[in-house]
Amino acid sequence: MLSLPFNFQPPFGLEELDLCRISEIQEDGTHACISVLKLHQFIQASPGLQVLRLKGLYSASAADKSLQQVDLPNLEVLRLQGPPVLHLIRAEHCTNLGVDLESIEEKLPPAAWTTVVPTLTRAKGLEVELDVSMYSLRISSLLGPPWPIHLRLDIEPKREDAGHLCYAILEQILQELENESCISARIQLSLHARNQYDPDIYFKVLKLLQSPMPGPSSRWRLPHLDTVCIRGEGFPYQYLKAFVQARANAQGDQAPKAVTSILESDAYYGPGGKEILGEVMDYAGDEGVAEGAVVQAG
């Protein structure tokens, strides 16, 4: 691990910066995690960065909230693992995004998505998976590794409302996408139904995506979503059937693609699985009860 003195001044004009596993030597000689302030100074000193890699733990303070976002117009590759400092980086032209944020305890500032959203909206010719579980949210290209797009947010597992926080962050990302444009790539929605899970969270996700956005535009969220993957067994068919029917019955120029595949898979991620769309649509349960439960979950 590289150790930097507390008064180290970052160099200017770098095109590539790798700040993985770096510590900071304090005035008393002890070693500590590099501060978010020092990280910000590094980025600010090199606005022409093309490649940025950040990994490890960063010590935060109340003063960090006043730090301004740094515009990196030339940044093409961003690798960020560990610290939730995505809101400090603005890289609208990034084409290779790999972000793993850990132990998230609250919604990220809206500025966190100014790099992610443009990268997603430019994703053409890709298949993108939106994976939702109780404790994580992942958006990544299905074909890989390496993934040209990979975003994973892990919620602090000790939170009793982890699933609700995960849903709130998903809603936040989709709102930012709506403000910009939609993802033009094909979308696979993956929901985890293994072990113990809170079904209300998944019903809320389906409800969010099975009706047009409020307002005069009548646009749908993720209009290119055409595949649903259930990871594990036991997910109620009636909710999937209501979701498929709602999107299939949409009309007008802004109508989304119809869902053409529902897969059931034991894998934690990736394409493939047993096709169950026919079984879902043949389900003859009480659809009225299912519809009411979805609305209640919202």
Side-chain angles (χ1 to χ4, degrees):
M1 176 179 286
L2 178 64
S3 298
L4 300 176
F6 72 94
N7 57 354
F8 179 82
Q9 294 299 315
F12 289 89
L14 298 177
E15 293 184 352
E16 183 170 346
L17 178 60
D18 191 327
L19 291 180
C20 297
R21 297 180 59 80
I22 293 182
S23 66
E24 196 169 359
I25 305 174
Q26 306 299 304
E27 291 186 76
D28 60 2
T30 59
H31 289 249
C33 300
I34 188 172
S35 66
V36 173
L37 175 60
K38 183 67 70 176
L39 168 65
H40 186 263
Q41 290 174 352
F42 266 100
I43 300 172
Q44 202 170 33
S46 297
L49 278 172
Q50 298 177 18
V51 178
L52 176 59
R53 298 183 181 90
L54 306 173
K55 180 180 180 180
L57 299 175
Y58 296 81
S59 60
S61 67
D64 297 338
K65 295 183 179 181
S66 63
L67 295 176
Q68 298 297 308
Q69 190 177 53
V70 179
D71 189 16
L72 302 175
N74 298 329
L75 193 70
E76 297 178 1
V77 178
L78 174 61
R79 291 287 181 269
L80 173 59
Q81 182 176 349
V85 294
L86 190 58
H87 61 287
L88 297 178
I89 302 165
R90 184 181 186 90
E92 294 186 349
H93 301 289
C94 180
T95 56
N96 197 314
L97 179 73
V99 176
D100 289 90
L101 304 184
E102 302 169 356
S103 300
I104 296 175
E105 298 186 5
E106 59 185 0
K107 287 203 302 183
L108 274 64
W113 313 119
T114 55
T115 296
V116 174
V117 167
T119 302
L120 288 174
T121 57
R122 287 196 307 272
K124 301 183 185 300
L126 294 176
E127 297 183 26
V128 174
E129 179 180 20
L130 169 59
D131 182 284
V132 183
S133 71
M134 278 295 295
Y135 299 106
S136 70
L137 173 66
R138 183 169 57 83
I139 302 175
S140 62
S141 48
L142 273 169
L143 302 179
W147 291 274
I149 296 175
H150 174 78
L151 170 68
R152 193 188 81 224
L153 301 99
D154 287 340
I155 309 300
E156 171 55 54
K158 295 181 181 179
R159 291 183 62 101
E160 294 183 358
D161 63 341
H164 292 277
L165 177 57
C166 188
Y167 172 82
I169 294 175
L170 170 62
E171 194 174 30
Q172 184 183 32
I173 294 175
L174 292 178
Q175 181 62 49
E176 294 301 320
L177 281 169
E178 293 157 15
N179 293 339
E180 295 289 330
S181 181
C182 65
I183 302 177
S184 60
R186 285 188 58 244
I187 301 290
Q188 171 177 301
L189 171 66
S190 294
L191 302 174
H192 289 256
R194 61 180 74 250
N195 303 325
Q196 293 183 348
Y197 70 102
D198 182 354
D200 281 356
I201 302 304
Y202 300 109
F203 301 155
K204 288 180 68 175
V205 172
L206 291 175
K207 183 192 172 202
L208 184 67
L209 299 174
Q210 76 177 32
S211 58
M213 296 180 293
S217 68
S218 298
R219 288 193 299 144
W220 286 66
R221 299 174 179 89
L222 304 182
H224 299 286
L225 191 163
D226 62 6
T227 302
V228 178
C229 182
I230 303 301
R231 302 197 179 279
E233 300 178 350
F235 198 95
Y237 278 9
Q238 63 265 38
Y239 301 101
L240 294 171
K241 183 175 181 178
F243 174 75
V244 173
Q245 289 178 330
R247 289 179 71 99
N249 293 336
Q251 298 180 350
D253 297 337
Q254 303 292 332
K257 284 186 175 180
V259 175
T260 57
S261 178
I262 298 181
L263 304 173
E264 189 174 77
S265 173
D266 290 330
Y268 278 92
Y269 61 88
K274 174 189 174 184
E275 181 61 63
I276 60 170
L277 177 62
E279 296 178 30
V280 169
M281 301 314 292
D282 289 341
Y283 179 79
D286 191 339
E287 297 176 22
V289 172
E291 182 180 354
V294 172
V295 172
Q296 184 180 7

